[in-house]
Amino acid sequence: MEVVMRIGFIGIGGIVDIYRKALAQYQTPVTAVCDINAARVAEVAAAEQCAGYTDYREMLANERLDAVFIAIPPGYHQQQVIDCVKAGCAVFVAKPVGLDPTLVAQTLAAINAAGVINQVGYMARYADIVGKARALIGDRKIVMGLARFMVRMPANHPWWGKRSICGGQIIEQSTHMFDLLRHLMGEVSHVQSFGHQGAADDIADFEDSTIVSLKFANGAIGTVISTSCTEVPEGCGWELTGRDLYLKLTMDLELSGVIDGKPVSYHGEETGYIRQVGEFLTALKTKNQAMIKSSYADAVQSLQLTMAAERSLQNGGQTIRLES
Ligand SMILES: NC(=O)c1ccc[n+]([C@@H]2O[C@H](COP(=O)([O-])OP(=O)(O)OC[C@H]3O[C@@H](n4cnc5c(N)ncnc54)[C@H](O)[C@@H]3O)[C@@H](O)[C@H]2O)c1
């Protein structure tokens, strides 16, 4: 008989609509939701026909959950993930995993001690185009990786424009670009950043545009470009080059390029948003952490990289060497 997982949520804002849609596709009901916004709790609890809480500790004490999705703004992370894993729950954490390196290290230690299934929502790792690109790359070396995240953000967002809560665009949004470069190219050894501020002070209290240069441990090089002050056609994606290899991944579904003179043209069906949840559920049911492509420990590495890029930004473009 199929075991029905008991799933809970801490934070039920915008991104959770996608996680809920994915759970529905995998015929997995939501058992309980928690948010500090009582009106949102009432709305989602009614829609899911599940229990609703404004105190996550009460939810953990009452509900015997198998897994909890934690999707709160990065600067609001406190003990939520730690308390979930201490209660024996698997955790699916929205990126980025936090802003406080000490708390993040304590959280990772708690996850390791509890031995629970853990995943972070780096959905691009689960996209069709990324799987296809990895298969095409095979053993070849990617020599250069370029990535860009160029999206016009709204001026009235409740937390996105505040560096103290979101961490800045590099840490909050462009994290996907850094994370996928790590996934495809390996670890970064050096990072250097420059930014521009002043074109979008009504949108955010941090840089509106940034450029980050990367040197990888294997000698490869890369750049991540970000802006929040204008919409750009095909504004998000990656370009990879190697000997007789060029691949362009356009978020979320298009892959093109040339390898050994042969054109590559591929249209994906799955962006990764739905599949990441499916793989989390499978890992949970089969108790198989090894199948997770974006563990908490791995996400901590992406956070460390983006925090180093931020540090360089705040220090006039100083080159930062990352610990290996
Ligand atoms: N593609 C992606 O992977 C993706 C996309 C969007 C957002 N995100 C991430 O998801 C997280 C949430 O973003 P969002 O867009 O859903 O934000 P949101 O503002 O729409 O929702 C956040 C929710 O968290 C609630 N909340 C805040 N503090 C809380 C607390 N201490 N306990 C319980 N609930 C709390 C808020 O009331 C709100 O309902 C962020 O980390 C963000 O970076 C990921």
Side-chain angles (χ1 to χ4, degrees):
M1 201 178 73
E2 179 79 6
V3 179
V4 177
M5 294 288 159
R6 293 176 62 81
I7 306 288
F9 279 88
I10 300 174
I12 42 174
I15 189 63
V16 164
D17 288 343
I18 295 176
Y19 299 155
R20 288 166 56 207
K21 183 176 161 203
L23 287 170
Q25 287 198 20
Y26 294 106
Q27 286 90 41
T28 303
V30 177
T31 299
V33 293
C34 171
D35 197 293
I36 52 174
N37 178 340
R40 178 71 174 156
V41 171
E43 178 194 338
V44 177
E48 296 288 348
Q49 297 186 296
C50 72
Y53 293 86
T54 51
D55 179 342
Y56 76 89
R57 291 187 175 94
E58 208 182 310
M59 176 175 81
L60 292 177
N62 288 353
E63 298 291 347
R64 293 186 355 268
L65 298 169
D66 294 301
V68 181
F69 286 67
I70 297 102
I72 57 177
Y76 293 160
H77 275 270
Q78 293 173 332
Q79 294 291 305
Q80 296 94 340
V81 180
I82 293 176
D83 289 342
C84 287
V85 302
K86 282 189 173 169
C89 304
V91 283
F92 184 110
V93 184
K95 55 41 65 177
V97 290
L99 298 182
D100 173 358
T102 305
L103 175 62
V104 166
Q106 287 167 351
T107 306
L108 178 57
I111 288 171
N112 289 340
V116 296
I117 299 291
N118 58 91
Q119 184 171 333
V120 173
Y122 283 111
M123 75 289 167
R125 292 187 178 215
Y126 301 83
D128 281 345
I129 56 170
V130 171
K132 182 77 173 173
R134 280 172 70 91
L136 289 168
I137 293 165
D139 292 336
R140 289 165 179 266
K141 178 175 178 181
I142 301 300
V143 172
M144 187 163 67
L146 312 176
R148 50 191 206 147
F149 199 105
M150 306 178 105
V151 172
R152 171 71 156 83
M153 291 301 288
N156 55 354
H157 194 281
W159 56 268
W160 191 83
K162 300 181 180 76
R163 195 196 300 270
S164 60
I165 307 173
C166 105
Q169 191 180 23
I170 290 173
I171 288 175
E172 203 279 331
Q173 288 188 314
S174 306
T175 183
H176 285 295
M177 315 331 273
F178 291 91
D179 181 73
L180 198 74
L181 288 180
R182 285 188 50 246
H183 186 55
L184 296 171
M185 297 176 65
E187 296 306 334
V188 171
S189 61
H190 296 77
V191 56
Q192 183 192 32
S193 318
F194 293 101
H196 175 275
Q197 191 165 353
D201 289 347
D202 56 327
I203 295 177
D205 64 11
F206 47 81
E207 297 74 13
D208 51 73
S209 308
T210 54
I211 294 180
V212 182
S213 297
L214 307 169
K215 181 158 192 251
F216 290 79
N218 69 0
I221 53 177
T223 300
V224 178
I225 300 171
S226 310
T227 187
S228 58
C229 72
T230 186
E231 208 55 51
V232 175
E234 297 188 354
C236 298
W238 301 262
E239 288 177 84
L240 309 170
T241 60
R243 174 63 192 256
D244 294 321
L245 178 149
Y246 169 66
L247 287 176
K248 179 178 180 186
L249 295 85
T250 306
M251 254 176 149
D252 296 309
L253 296 172
E254 303 303 326
L255 173 66
S256 59
V258 186
I259 298 181
D260 293 332
K262 294 194 189 109
V264 173
S265 178
Y266 173 77
H267 175 78
E269 299 293 332
E270 166 58 45
T271 60
Y273 278 104
I274 302 295
R275 184 180 290 143
Q276 65 178 347
V277 173
E279 295 204 4
F280 177 65
L281 293 174
T282 303
L284 197 53
K285 286 174 189 161
T286 59
K287 300 184 172 51
N288 181 8
Q289 177 67 27
M291 69 174 282
I292 301 278
K293 295 186 180 74
S294 51
S295 67
Y296 192 94
D298 201 320
V300 171
Q301 305 261 93
S302 287
L303 180 67
Q304 284 168 351
L305 170 56
T306 54
M307 291 195 109
E310 271 291 320
R311 232 174 16 259
S312 174
L313 204 56
Q314 305 315 322
N315 287 288
Q318 181 191 5
T319 299
I320 309 268
R321 189 188 172 93
L322 282 108
E323 284 169 30
S324 50

